[in-house]
Amino acid sequence: MNFPDLMAGPPPTHLPADVATTELQSGVAPVDVVRDHPASPAAWAALAQQAVDADADDVTVYAYARVGYHRSLDALRRNGWKGHGPVPWEHEPNRGFLRCLALLATAAKAIGETDEAERCADFLRDSSATAAETLL
């Protein structure tokens, strides 16, 4: 007789492919991809990263990353996530969310939101140790 493992955590969440990724990879500007796909975590992550790379104000980076983070939470919930559990970096469609979360942690720290920076960094580590090692 088989019994479910009651001590096991929730299964990993795997987001579906993000159509914005193809456009970003083909060189479409992140701002244009966000306009076409405003629900895309990958598009918001690319826009936030572009702001970092251009030495934009930390508040701008924070705003882009925060929008991407919230759009990511919506996508995670639509795909069975219950507020905790692994979101593996190894599954490429999850990377938009994980990148937004890392960028939000960094930007929050830069603007003095220490508690939020720590919560986001912990959330990233809890979601994917690989993403935390790669992005923080």
Side-chain angles (χ1 to χ4, degrees):
M1 186 174 230
N2 288 333
F3 295 98
D5 182 353
L6 299 177
M7 297 302 288
T13 300
H14 294 105
L15 292 173
D18 189 333
V19 296
T21 302
T22 302
E23 292 180 29
L24 292 164
Q25 290 172 342
S26 69
V28 178
V31 70
D32 294 329
V33 178
V34 164
R35 283 186 182 109
D36 290 341
H37 308 285
S40 166
W44 285 103
L47 190 59
Q49 186 61 57
Q50 183 181 55
V52 168
D53 295 344
D55 291 324
D57 184 87
D58 295 325
V59 172
T60 300
V61 176
Y62 178 90
Y64 292 155
R66 182 159 267 305
V67 171
Y69 165 75
H70 282 284
R71 298 313 294 255
S72 297
L73 293 178
D74 294 341
L76 288 166
R77 289 182 188 112
R78 279 192 308 273
N79 287 280
W81 184 74
K82 303 292 186 207
H84 65 284
V87 183
W89 172 260
E90 293 76 11
H91 181 68
E92 194 278 329
N94 290 346
R95 291 183 181 186
F97 157 65
L98 297 166
R99 289 174 54 219
C100 283
L101 186 54
L103 287 158
L104 183 57
T106 303
K109 183 176 181 180
I111 66 169
E113 281 281 347
T114 306
D115 290 343
E116 182 175 26
E118 290 173 6
R119 276 192 308 274
C120 290
D122 289 344
F123 186 11
L124 182 63
R125 281 188 286 278
D126 291 345
S127 297
S128 171
T130 303
E133 290 173 20
T134 302
L135 301 171
L136 294 180

